Amino acid sequence: MVPSGAVEGVLPGTAEGVPPAEADDLELYHPKSWVTKYVFSQDAKVIAIQYAGTALAIGFVALVLSWLMRLQLGFPGVFAFIDAATYYQFITMHGMIMVIYLLTALFLGGFGNYLIPLMIGARDMVFPYVNMLSYWVYLLAVLVLVASFFMPGGPTGAGWTLYPPQAILSGTPGGQEWGIILMLVSLILFIIGFTMGGLNYVVTVLQARTRGMTLMRMPLTVWGIFTATVLALLAFPALFVGAVMLLFDRVLNTSFFMPALVEMGQRLNYDGGSPILFQHLFWFFGHPEVYIVALPAFGIVSDLISTHARRNIFGYRMMVWAIVAIGALSFIVWAHHMYVSGMHPWFGFFFATTTLIIAIPTAIKVYNWILTLWRGDIHLTIPMLFAIAFIVTFVNGGLTGLFLGNAVVDVPLSDTMFVVAHFHMVMGVAPIFVIFGAIYHWYPKITGRMLDETMGKIHFWITFIGAYAIFFPMHYVGLMGVPRRYYELGETVSNLHSSDALNAFITVAALTVGAAQILFLFNLFWSLSRGRQVGGNPWRATTLEWQTPETPPRHGNWGKELPVVYRWAYDYNVPGADQDFVPQNQPTITRAA
Amino acid sequence: MAVIIVFMAVIGGIVAWWLSHQRLTSKPWLEEGVIGEIPGTGASTLPAAKIGLGVFLAVVGALFAIFTSAYFMRMPMAEWRPVPVPGLLWFNTGVLVASSIALQWAVIAARRGRMGDVRWGLLAGGFTASAFVAGQLAAWQRLADAGYFVAANPADSFFYLITGMHGLHVVGGLVALGRTAAKAWDDVATDRVRESVTLCATYWHFLLVIWLALFGLLTGWGDEFAAICRQWLI
């Protein structure tokens, strides 16, 4: 958290704020050995792959955890190794890993690092050394998290929201052991690491754009990642404060969040703390976090749709304004996660109103995606399939969000499986579809080879249909009143056992979808050497990353000269042009003869 | 949460002002060719490191704004007994002010090209900032000796937490200052270190402002303000 690297890592070429049109490669740090080239690399593209690889690896752990928890929910009591404690550990770790360590890290650390410099025509991030540190601190955070699986007592089972007082009491797995401590330390590390990376993404977009690349000529992907990074930089401090204070409560016995408590007949050494305070801190981070994940997805999907429908994005300006508006609004809706915490009704009213207002810019985006597709030359490539799947899923999850955003509707639905179905649709499945679409889309740029299409199609259809098989019935299960976070329903709620068959069905679907991801993983490795080789611009796209002299792009991205940008990012099917796309760095449109 | 909301509103204002200069209402699909004068990106002419520090200070500011919010929200709850702030803190504050002045002097010297004065400024700044950190630790020691341990009372807990977090940021600054000083002793021209020295000084001034705000908070001058905050979150 020191600006020392910020001073150290300046590129002379960008120090004047104006990237020169012709810049020598010399201004970059050049790796001298295998270790500095591939391990401790300062090249944003290598860092991006490191981020993405780590995020996907830990994501697969979270996937397996979801299998295990579904086994318990679908077939309670059948698997002896899942007891209540391990079940809570599974759900906690699944949630935390997926939201923070997979989605946030992959969108910003992975796609942000790879795409920002390439898409704006820069050689690299502005502070490459800090960028490298960012990854290694992230890796350390992941390792600390993983370590908690192997400590006595196992990882924390406090639920991904880590609400005190239960999070640090002995009744919660890991509460009085190492689990919660390592979880909090890992989060603190993650935030420090992210801040280093985030500074890079923001300043690079601000300062390192190439000639002609005005803000309004940036692809929406960059807009999405840029705005999300700003949100993350301002929102993560709230989680940082919450985590540090909870750590104090746990380790030093302070009473920030801990009220006077009697546990097992013993009065604990806490007094007067406020659990609600933690909820405020957590959700002041937690709600922007939804958009930290969603905004990059919005941006990327806009580019996927435009490219694969061969049509300019509809309402580019509106799209930019909507991204900024959503970003700003996301800071004043946090308490809609706390309707049942006993807040003043006027607060509920206020937060319900802001929550519903955020639907307006979001709806604008959805309409614009659909209008981009309208009369487009739609190529049903795998990225396009995932993009369409995203729109459908996001609308689905967004609509249930309108239900839950209203305090009166939320109160009976709170803490039921309906909520679980809602947020999985809107910020689980939908962004994951974009991640898959984006990987299929940019894999040829990263490796020079296509991912295998047959495997891709199988992967898509199983994932798409399977996700609906999981989460559609889950809404219904929730409406029946089945609560979330229950290890088993037991005998006292016999009326809810009519949901048993559905729960078993959901579990089978979840196992199938999970298995399809193994095929995806296999495809990633298989295509590295066997994929079809396809030149530098297989999708015939306009944005700068497809115009690099080499594929995959070398260190420094561009040859001797940086590209100059003459147009916006969406010149597809320009009337009279001889090709159906005009790259951003092409000075004039060549007319058909 | 009033403090952090106000902070966010200020940041939002800055962002809105900046965005209003970015031609967000232009129609990029109609604009072919080079825009305006070269380079025509709308990027500012400030060095990247300066912008980077600015963004970082916004993050640090958010961090302390949230600490302050949490402080005010915890205050009206049970068992809150304000800490008797040790008089040593007044001395420490003076030392931190001196540190900022020393670095500002180094900046001026760097602008005028007097390397000797730059070195003295950096040295004095580093020494006083280290003295500040040591003084803060001594203040902790005195409080602990008087029975105000970290877990004795939430006000005590906040005192240690907030001063500790601020101290860590000063220590981080010292690392940057050390690297700048190493450069200054390398016998280079003053323009080579001017930017680093300026960045350090900016960070120092910022931490001084933060400290003054925190000091006011911990000594209870913020209580009036807290009364208003409490009405925000009933």
Side-chain angles (χ1 to χ4, degrees):
Chain A
M1 308 222 7
V2 293
S4 58
V7 181
E8 275 305 300
V10 192
L11 302 182
T14 54
E16 286 83 43
V18 176
E22 206 173 289
D24 279 334
D25 266 352
L26 295 172
E27 65 185 40
L28 288 176
Y29 170 82
H30 281 282
K32 293 175 189 66
S33 67
W34 187 86
V35 171
T36 48
K37 193 166 180 188
Y38 296 107
V39 185
F40 295 103
S41 171
Q42 299 187 22
D43 184 339
K45 296 186 293 301
V46 178
I47 296 170
I49 292 164
Q50 290 172 328
Y51 250 115
T54 312
L56 287 174
I58 193 73
F60 267 89
V61 173
L63 178 77
V64 172
L65 293 174
S66 75
W67 278 354
L68 296 172
M69 89 176 78
R70 275 318 313 182
L71 283 178
Q72 168 61 25
L73 289 175
F75 311 100
V78 174
F79 300 92
F81 66 96
I82 309 175
D83 58 15
T86 48
Y87 174 76
Y88 286 120
Q89 291 168 330
F90 296 159
I91 61 168
T92 305
M93 285 297 148
H94 168 77
M96 195 59 100
I97 292 174
M98 286 298 192
V99 173
I100 309 262
Y101 299 85
L102 173 71
L103 287 173
T104 309
L106 190 50
F107 268 124
L108 301 181
F111 289 112
N113 263 317
Y114 202 89
L115 294 176
I116 289 174
L118 278 167
M119 280 189 151
I120 64 170
R123 293 211 182 277
D124 205 322
M125 291 287 180
V126 286
F127 313 124
Y129 182 76
V130 185
N131 206 21
M132 174 185 78
L133 279 187
S134 163
Y135 168 71
W136 289 99
V137 177
Y138 164 66
L139 181 66
L140 183 63
V142 171
L143 292 178
V144 170
L145 184 83
V146 170
S148 74
F149 282 91
F150 302 101
M151 296 305 278
T156 175
W160 90 277
T161 52
L162 305 178
Y163 277 3
Q166 55 88 20
I168 57 175
L169 293 178
S170 60
T172 301
Q176 278 298 313
E177 288 119 340
W178 280 96
I180 187 72
I181 296 178
L182 291 179
M183 179 77 253
L184 294 170
V185 169
S186 171
L187 282 176
I188 290 168
L189 286 171
F190 180 91
I191 294 166
I192 294 172
F194 171 76
T195 305
M196 296 175 178
L199 288 175
N200 259 300
Y201 316 150
V202 169
V203 181
T204 303
V205 172
L206 290 181
Q207 292 300 95
R209 278 170 284 134
T210 187
R211 270 188 186 182
M213 180 61 87
T214 59
L215 283 187
M216 291 304 273
R217 278 176 173 176
M218 292 197 307
L220 287 167
T221 298
V222 179
W223 266 108
I225 294 174
F226 172 65
T227 314
T229 308
V230 174
L231 294 192
L233 285 173
L234 294 172
F236 269 121
L239 181 66
F240 186 89
V241 169
V244 170
M245 284 165 64
L246 191 56
L247 199 60
F248 267 52
D249 276 3
R250 166 67 181 80
V251 179
L252 301 174
N253 265 310
T254 56
S255 299
F256 291 122
F257 305 129
M258 299 298 281
L261 279 168
V262 176
E263 188 182 57
M264 314 287 276
Q266 277 210 311
R267 195 179 180 298
L268 296 183
N269 213 2
Y270 295 114
D271 207 358
S274 165
I276 300 287
L277 173 56
F278 181 84
Q279 296 194 15
H280 277 296
L281 294 175
F282 184 86
W283 289 114
F284 192 80
F285 144 78
H287 197 81
E289 169 64 27
V290 174
Y291 291 98
I292 291 164
V293 170
L295 289 180
F298 290 171
I300 290 172
V301 90
S302 306
D303 286 357
L304 295 188
I305 286 174
S306 179
T307 305
H308 294 270
R310 316 306 299 163
R311 197 154 179 279
N312 62 306
I313 194 79
F314 187 91
Y316 174 84
R317 281 193 301 174
M318 287 281 192
M319 294 299 248
V320 171
W321 298 346
I323 285 177
V324 175
I326 292 171
L329 284 171
S330 72
F331 277 104
I332 48 169
V333 298
W334 80 90
H336 69 211
H337 297 272
M338 300 163 58
Y339 285 147
V340 293
S341 70
M343 64 168 73
H344 194 289
W346 282 113
F347 272 123
F349 175 74
F350 173 80
F351 284 108
T353 310
T354 51
T355 304
L356 298 186
I357 289 174
I358 219 169
I360 296 170
T362 317
I364 289 175
K365 297 196 77 72
V366 173
Y367 285 126
N368 283 352
W369 291 323
I370 293 168
L371 288 168
T372 304
L373 288 171
W374 174 254
R375 301 180 112 186
D377 177 10
I378 298 174
H379 293 47
L380 287 177
T381 55
I382 297 170
M384 184 55 137
L385 289 174
F386 274 111
I388 296 172
F390 163 81
I391 299 178
V392 177
T393 311
F394 186 73
V395 168
N396 251 305
L399 286 177
T400 51
L402 290 179
F403 297 10
L404 295 171
N406 283 289
V408 280
V409 187
D410 178 75
V411 169
L413 286 174
S414 190
D415 271 325
T416 65
M417 291 306 255
F418 188 87
V419 178
V420 178
H422 157 70
F423 70 68
H424 273 91
M425 274 291 194
V426 81
M427 80 164 293
V429 178
I432 284 283
F433 280 163
V434 176
I435 284 178
F436 285 139
I439 291 176
Y440 282 98
H441 183 76
W442 277 294
Y443 190 86
K445 179 50 62 177
I446 298 167
T447 64
R449 290 169 188 270
M450 286 285 212
L451 280 166
D452 185 77
E453 201 147 323
T454 316
M455 277 192 264
K457 287 242 158 92
I458 297 171
H459 171 228
F460 168 76
W461 285 109
I462 296 180
T463 309
F464 179 61
I465 297 174
Y468 279 77
I470 297 169
F471 293 110
F472 260 175
M474 199 181 283
H475 287 91
Y476 184 66
V477 169
L479 284 175
M480 289 165 77
V482 174
R484 69 191 277 211
R485 296 196 173 119
Y486 274 41
Y487 164 63
E488 58 183 351
L489 292 173
E491 294 309 313
T492 50
V493 282
S494 52
N495 57 325
L496 293 181
H497 284 293
S498 50
S499 66
D500 285 354
L502 267 183
N503 260 330
F505 170 78
I506 294 173
T507 298
V508 173
L511 293 175
T512 316
V513 171
Q517 309 318 310
I518 296 169
L519 181 68
F520 170 68
L521 192 66
F522 173 75
N523 196 356
L524 279 183
F525 287 105
W526 190 85
S527 299
L528 266 184
S529 54
R530 309 265 180 94
R532 194 155 53 84
Q533 276 183 306
V534 280
N537 191 1
W539 308 115
R540 300 154 57 74
T542 56
T543 40
L544 287 183
E545 81 275 21
W546 299 104
Q547 324 302 336
T548 53
E550 281 114 359
T551 297
R554 298 217 330 224
H555 184 57
N557 292 348
W558 316 98
K560 194 163 169 53
E561 285 186 14
L562 288 169
V564 179
V565 172
Y566 297 96
R567 60 194 66 250
W568 73 327
Y570 301 99
D571 265 344
Y572 289 105
N573 270 318
V574 179
D578 62 344
Q579 280 186 308
D580 72 344
F581 72 106
V582 188
Q584 280 192 281
N585 58 347
Q586 184 174 317
T588 49
I589 295 171
T590 40
R591 303 286 164 185
Chain B
M1 302 294 275
V3 179
I4 182 64
I5 292 289
V6 170
F7 181 84
M8 288 295 170
V10 172
I11 297 280
I14 296 170
V15 171
W17 170 82
W18 175 75
L19 280 175
S20 71
H21 290 71
Q22 299 298 322
R23 303 177 69 248
L24 285 202
T25 52
S26 63
K27 296 177 174 157
W29 52 94
L30 299 177
E31 296 171 346
E32 187 181 303
V34 179
I35 290 183
E37 74 276 33
I38 297 289
T41 61
S44 76
T45 47
L46 291 171
K50 206 166 241 179
I51 305 263
L53 181 65
V55 178
F56 179 68
L57 294 186
V59 177
V60 177
L63 181 74
F64 284 103
I66 290 168
F67 269 123
T68 311
S69 275
Y71 184 87
F72 282 138
M73 284 168 77
R74 180 65 181 80
M75 205 154 90
M77 313 266 172
E79 286 297 307
W80 181 279
R81 288 188 305 275
V83 193
V85 172
L88 183 58
L89 250 51
W90 286 97
F91 176 74
N92 291 349
T93 307
V95 171
L96 197 61
V97 172
S99 193
S100 249
I101 293 172
L103 280 194
Q104 189 58 38
W105 187 55
V107 171
I108 295 168
R111 271 195 214 131
R112 297 194 180 149
R114 294 198 304 263
M115 194 49 130
D117 290 355
V118 173
R119 287 177 189 161
W120 275 113
L122 293 177
L123 206 59
F127 177 74
T128 41
S130 311
F132 170 80
V133 174
Q136 295 289 78
L137 288 174
W140 281 12
Q141 186 65 49
R142 281 194 195 178
L143 274 179
D145 287 346
Y148 298 94
F149 303 113
V150 65
N153 185 268
D156 303 339
S157 317
F158 266 111
F159 183 88
Y160 286 98
L161 178 63
I162 289 179
T163 51
M165 199 53 76
H166 180 264
L168 277 179
H169 281 83
V170 176
V171 171
L174 281 170
V175 175
L177 191 72
R179 299 176 72 145
T180 307
K183 229 193 285 181
W185 258 266
D186 256 358
D187 259 340
V188 290
T190 41
D191 352 332
R192 297 279 311 274
V193 292
R194 193 172 60 201
E195 189 179 303
S196 307
V197 175
T198 314
L199 291 172
C200 283
T202 311
Y203 186 66
W204 247 246
H205 301 334
F206 180 81
L207 282 188
L208 175 64
V209 172
I210 293 270
W211 169 249
L212 293 176
L214 296 177
F215 191 40
L217 183 76
L218 295 169
T219 46
W221 295 334
D223 292 0
E224 293 267 317
F225 186 52
I228 304 166
C229 288
R230 225 163 290 146
Q231 304 210 322
W232 274 68
L233 279 176
I234 303 155

